[in-house]
Amino acid sequence: MKNTLFLLSILVLASCKETKQVVSSEKKNENVSFTMVFASCSDQDREQPLWKPVISTNPDVFIWGGDNVYSDTDDMEKMASDYDKVWANKEYQTIAENTDIIATWDDHDYGKNDAGKEWHKKKEAQQVFLDFLKLPKDDPRRKREGVYHSQTFTTDSGSVKVILLDTRYFRGPLKVNPNPENEYERYIPWQEGEGGSVLGEEQWRWFENELKDDTANFTVIVSSIQFLSDQHGFEKWANHPSEVKKMYSVLKGAKANNILILSGDRHHAEVSVKEVTGLEDPLVDFTSSGLTHTWPGTPMDNNPYRVGEGTKQLNFGVLYFDFANEKVSYQIRGENNVLYEEFVQQY
């Protein structure tokens, strides 16, 4: 069955006083055989209230989606010290002891707000980032430009391939809005053919080759910035229309099964869904952003692809994979493991 079950359940809670723990019916389903937690935007110097609920989901993999620390600096000792604060957290240590952790980065752990390929400390920051992941010195990522990486997780019931993109190391310049009406209109899109690349030629070739793999039941693409949401004035794929066009072309030509996108950066959580001509299933871009801070007093971005209301409360994303029925439950969760929204996609 190729259809979308919109908003199996939505629970939007007005205040922390009203929050309560909600046990997902999807989690009880015996067919759910793989659990993924995805999160971004974690300031190492703020309170860390979401690690306990993350632990309670018992994830098979935890994915950092970027801004894993806030370390806007070209001082690599300071950056390493900021990462050390993450590891000093006992609850994070518990996750690391029991769960696979993989990651990409965004601008604040790259070293500079909104920075791209011009950042003069990107090579050094890459090594500090890989140290944070505790990768051995002979890991191939140590010699590669950029932190892009793929990894497949296999269970007795099926497998999930995760492709982590690097939207920083090779990204061309952003086009500053010359006449912003407010602070939310920071950037505007380039004309098609302008603005350079998001991924760079080498990463694009690697990415296309990764999508030739049809052995996994699901393929998860991790992009630190949003792909589908294209109306806001901050960083997004839509600032580079040529790259968006190329992404759709690559996705349409992919052999990989059941492709979905995870994104961060925006300090809110939402599920975006788009019917794309040439793709068998709707394309889902699941945004989870704000492990430690969001801006609840500000409006949600205009997003024609949003399903549900989203939330500006602290949040993390949970994905439950049902291999037998080719189904994924996308859940937005928060403090005390509250369930804000759930969306189920049948592939």
Side-chain angles (χ1 to χ4, degrees), residues 88-246:
N89 187 301
K90 298 295 185 182
E91 291 161 354
Y92 184 74
Q93 292 174 25
T94 297
I95 295 172
E97 290 168 0
N98 296 282
T99 307
D100 287 311
I101 296 178
I102 57 177
T104 190
W105 58 11
D106 201 37
D107 51 346
H108 296 290
D109 40 356
Y110 187 54
K112 184 179 181 181
N113 185 47
D114 294 351
K117 67 178 183 180
E118 77 286 350
W119 179 232
H120 69 284
K121 285 290 187 176
K122 62 185 182 180
K123 292 183 178 180
E124 294 85 349
Q126 177 175 338
Q127 296 305 314
V128 179
F129 169 82
L130 298 176
D131 289 342
F132 167 63
L133 294 180
K134 299 190 180 298
L135 298 182
K137 296 300 182 182
D138 60 352
D139 189 282
R141 279 169 282 180
R142 295 282 187 181
K143 298 181 180 180
R144 172 189 291 165
E145 290 189 318
V147 302
Y148 56 93
H149 174 63
S150 72
Q151 193 164 335
T152 300
F153 299 89
T154 302
T155 73
D156 292 338
S157 303
S159 60
V160 179
K161 181 173 184 174
V162 182
I163 301 175
L164 300 124
L165 299 179
D166 185 335
T167 65
R168 291 291 155 193
Y169 203 96
F170 309 97
R171 198 215 68 210
L174 297 166
K175 187 175 184 179
V176 176
N177 188 344
N179 300 298
E181 293 186 2
N182 55 59
E183 60 182 319
Y184 305 116
E185 299 180 355
R186 185 179 300 172
Y187 303 115
I188 58 176
W190 292 99
Q191 294 296 312
E192 191 168 323
E194 298 179 344
S197 184
V198 173
L199 299 185
E201 291 184 8
E202 183 176 349
Q203 186 178 185
W204 267 118
R205 285 193 295 270
W206 170 86
F207 179 47
E208 290 184 62
N209 188 62
E210 292 292 321
L211 290 177
K212 293 178 182 178
D213 178 11
D214 63 356
T215 58
N217 298 79
F218 291 91
T219 300
V220 177
I221 298 169
V222 181
S223 168
S224 66
I225 57 174
Q226 290 183 310
F227 181 72
L228 285 183
S229 182
D230 58 4
Q231 301 297 306
H232 63 79
F234 297 95
E235 289 193 276
K236 57 187 182 294
W237 274 80
N239 289 335
H240 296 78
S242 297
E243 294 289 88
V244 172
K245 185 176 180 180
K246 185 169 184 176

Side-chain angles (χ1 to χ4, degrees), residues 317-333:
V318 185
L319 293 85
Y320 294 118
F321 292 85
D322 178 345
F323 296 119
N325 297 302
E326 290 192 288
K327 184 170 64 175
V328 179
S329 170
Y330 301 83
Q331 295 188 353
I332 300 171
R333 289 186 174 268

Side-chain angles (χ1 to χ4, degrees), residues 220-345:
V220 177
I221 298 169
V222 181
S223 168
S224 66
I225 57 174
Q226 290 183 310
F227 181 72
L228 285 183
S229 182
D230 58 4
Q231 301 297 306
H232 63 79
F234 297 95
E235 289 193 276
K236 57 187 182 294
W237 274 80
N239 289 335
H240 296 78
S242 297
E243 294 289 88
V244 172
K245 185 176 180 180
K246 185 169 184 176
M247 176 64 84
Y248 282 127
S249 177
V250 168
L251 293 178
K252 291 175 185 179
K255 294 182 180 179
N257 299 306
N258 301 330
I259 298 172
L260 58 101
I261 298 173
L262 304 181
S263 58
D265 178 58
R266 294 298 302 120
H267 295 280
H268 65 248
E270 63 184 343
V271 178
S272 303
V273 183
K274 182 181 180 180
E275 298 278 355
V276 180
T277 301
L279 294 183
E280 187 175 4
D281 299 298
L283 184 61
V284 177
D285 182 350
F286 182 27
T287 301
S288 177
S289 173
L291 269 176
T292 60
H293 57 301
T294 56
W295 317 120
T298 59
M300 290 287 289
D301 299 331
N302 292 327
N303 180 4
Y305 307 111
R306 183 185 301 125
V307 176
E309 298 183 21
T311 183
K312 287 213 166 190
Q313 299 299 319
L314 297 183
N315 63 85
F316 61 98
V318 185
L319 293 85
Y320 294 118
F321 292 85
D322 178 345
F323 296 119
N325 297 302
E326 290 192 288
K327 184 170 64 175
V328 179
S329 170
Y330 301 83
Q331 295 188 353
I332 300 171
R333 289 186 174 268
E335 292 188 67
N336 303 312
N337 208 25
V338 63
L339 174 61
Y340 288 114
E341 291 186 6
E342 182 175 33
F343 171 81
V344 177
Q345 174 65 52

